[in-house]
Amino acid sequence: MIIGAATLAAVRTAESAAPDTVEMQMNTPTERVLGIGGLFFRSHDPKKLAQWYQLNLGIDHRVWQQAAGPTALTPFAMDTDYFGSKEQAWMVNFRVRSLDAMVAQLQKSNIEVKVDPEKYPYGRFARLHDPEGNPIELWEPASPA
């Protein structure tokens, strides 16, 4: 499994997408969403899990002001193993400024992180799981050329 392949494909598609037909242009909505307003999911211990995200990833669960940048929204086939367990219905990908610094920080807290050794045209990737087993992908976008 190549970590980050979904993000790569989605970003590549978003950057190179140009409508092929007039029909596609006519069906393009004039109003669009501005970004992700929240990510909501079930938890066995919501307070403890929110605290883990804040302590380890710096995400304030009340209002997290994120940096502007690309966001991939990519549906996967029901039988994908990309998220890990077949029961896992979602995975979150977080952009990071320095993958090496974030990985070191997480490992210092005894959190297992698997870094993909390959450098892709769109950046570098690593994978970890939160305390409830939810997959998290970290993405350090490639610097603009």
Side-chain angles (χ1 to χ4, degrees):
M1 170 168 55
I2 297 175
I3 296 175
T7 301
L8 284 173
V11 170
R12 185 177 304 131
T13 300
E15 288 181 349
S16 65
D20 293 45
T21 65
V22 173
E23 182 179 323
M24 283 180 66
Q25 290 175 337
M26 291 175 54
N27 291 332
T28 302
T30 56
E31 285 295 322
R32 297 175 181 270
V33 298
L34 302 175
I36 295 175
L39 175 63
F40 308 100
F41 54 98
R42 298 178 196 274
S43 170
H44 296 288
D45 189 340
K47 187 175 182 179
K48 186 175 179 179
L49 193 59
Q51 201 170 38
W52 183 90
Y53 275 87
Q54 185 163 6
L55 290 173
N56 294 290
L57 299 176
I59 298 172
D60 184 336
H61 72 278
R62 292 170 298 259
V63 178
W64 170 44
Q65 187 64 45
Q66 62 180 316
T71 300
L73 180 70
T74 308
F76 280 75
M78 290 298 291
D79 62 350
T80 187
D81 61 356
Y82 190 74
F83 308 150
S85 164
K86 295 288 185 202
E87 290 77 37
Q88 188 63 46
W90 63 275
M91 180 185 72
V92 63
N93 170 294
F94 292 117
R95 277 179 277 114
V96 297
R97 182 179 14 259
S98 168
L99 188 65
D100 295 329
M102 179 60 80
V103 168
Q105 174 181 300
L106 293 166
Q107 289 174 336
K108 200 173 184 180
S109 295
N110 296 316
I111 296 170
E112 183 180 340
V113 184
K114 294 179 183 173
V115 178
D116 185 335
E118 189 166 341
K119 292 183 179 179
Y120 299 93
Y122 292 97
R124 299 174 52 221
F125 299 88
R127 178 75 61 98
L128 66 138
H129 291 82
D130 73 16
E132 293 193 4
N134 298 308
I136 298 170
E137 187 172 70
L138 302 175
W139 171 36
E140 178 186 311
S143 299

